[in-house]
Amino acid sequence: MKKILLATAIAFLPSLASAEVKIGDVIGTNGDEAKVALEKAGCPVEKFEAEDGKVEAVCKMATTGEMMEIVIDPATGAVTDIKMGD
């Protein structure tokens, strides 16, 4: 029984790891798409800001409580930078 549970847990690890947002990920060209993608990644959006022709989504990681700024290219919807902390 323990082997079955361990095998099941290991099988789900890749899907959990892929939930985080990485530079280059395309999360959407509008706020609604980006918000849904970030929430699925465990980082509910608190606000959006426009800066230097890019969009910054400010969110808090559900697992760590750490604030993040996800910089998004509005033309492509791709993540171009991730800033940790305030």
Side-chain angles (χ1 to χ4, degrees):
M1 182 69 163
K2 287 182 184 180
K3 288 181 183 179
I4 293 172
L5 291 175
L6 181 58
T8 303
I10 290 171
F12 284 105
L13 285 178
S15 64
L16 293 175
S18 66
E20 68 184 47
V21 177
K22 298 175 284 308
I23 293 175
D25 287 352
V26 176
I27 62 171
T29 56
N30 66 59
D32 291 336
E33 291 173 346
K35 185 176 180 176
V36 168
L38 290 170
E39 286 177 357
K40 284 183 179 179
C43 198
V45 175
E46 295 191 1
K47 65 181 175 177
F48 286 101
E49 301 173 342
E51 188 173 305
D52 299 328
K54 304 282 184 180
V55 175
E56 290 184 358
V58 178
C59 61
K60 183 186 272 188
M61 287 300 296
T63 55
T64 64
E66 187 170 16
M67 295 299 296
M68 298 174 67
E69 289 181 358
I70 310 295
V71 182
I72 307 162
D73 182 324
T76 65
V79 175
T80 60
D81 195 14
I82 299 174
K83 301 172 187 175
M84 305 299 285
D86 295 329

